[in-house]
Amino acid sequence: MATAFAEEVVRIHEVARLSDAQIGRAVGAAPSTVRDWFARRTSPSGKRAERVAELAEIVDRLARVIEPDYISVWLSRPIEALDDQKPLELIARGRARTVARVVSELESPGAV
């Protein structure tokens, strides 16, 4: 039975237009597992649920400052302010706060 975390995965998919592979990369799950979450057959738990929550927060913040169609691109490309690392890969390694700091700069340029 699906939980709020499965619903959060569906929402991330809809808001940010992230694919099953992109979400899976960020949370440490196979694309087929993410598709089960989309279908609400199963739900993330443990570290995966934690990563879903972190990804959701970053997606929500990005949605306020960039076009939704571009969120998946931004999360997948090397970002200079992240030492040319990809945000999705940093999130996967538990470094969502590092990504959040860069998002803060987008929200309030010059404030960080």
Side-chain angles (χ1 to χ4, degrees):
M1 178 169 221
T3 68
F5 283 105
E7 294 298 326
E8 202 61 350
V9 171
V10 171
R11 191 181 67 75
I12 290 166
H13 174 64
E14 292 171 353
V15 170
R17 297 168 178 95
L18 290 172
S19 70
D20 54 359
Q22 289 171 309
I23 293 171
R25 187 175 317 124
V27 304
S32 59
T33 300
V34 176
R35 288 190 299 273
D36 283 342
W37 298 341
F38 288 165
R40 297 168 180 89
R41 286 189 288 269
T42 61
S43 187
S45 60
K47 279 288 184 199
R48 290 177 177 170
E50 186 178 317
R51 297 288 179 263
V52 166
E54 293 167 345
L55 179 59
E57 177 61 19
I58 288 170
V59 163
D60 289 346
R61 292 174 65 190
L62 284 170
R64 292 191 294 263
V65 295
I66 64 176
E67 293 295 320
D69 287 338
Y70 192 69
I71 294 172
S72 67
V73 174
W74 191 90
L75 288 169
S76 297
R77 64 184 282 219
I79 303 295
E80 184 178 359
L82 295 170
D83 295 326
D84 293 319
Q85 296 179 84
K86 298 174 184 178
L88 286 178
E89 292 174 2
L90 288 171
I91 294 166
R93 294 196 316 258
R95 297 191 50 214
R97 282 188 170 169
T98 303
V99 176
R101 281 194 279 283
V102 173
V103 174
S104 276
E105 181 64 25
L106 295 174
E107 292 169 322
S108 302
V112 176

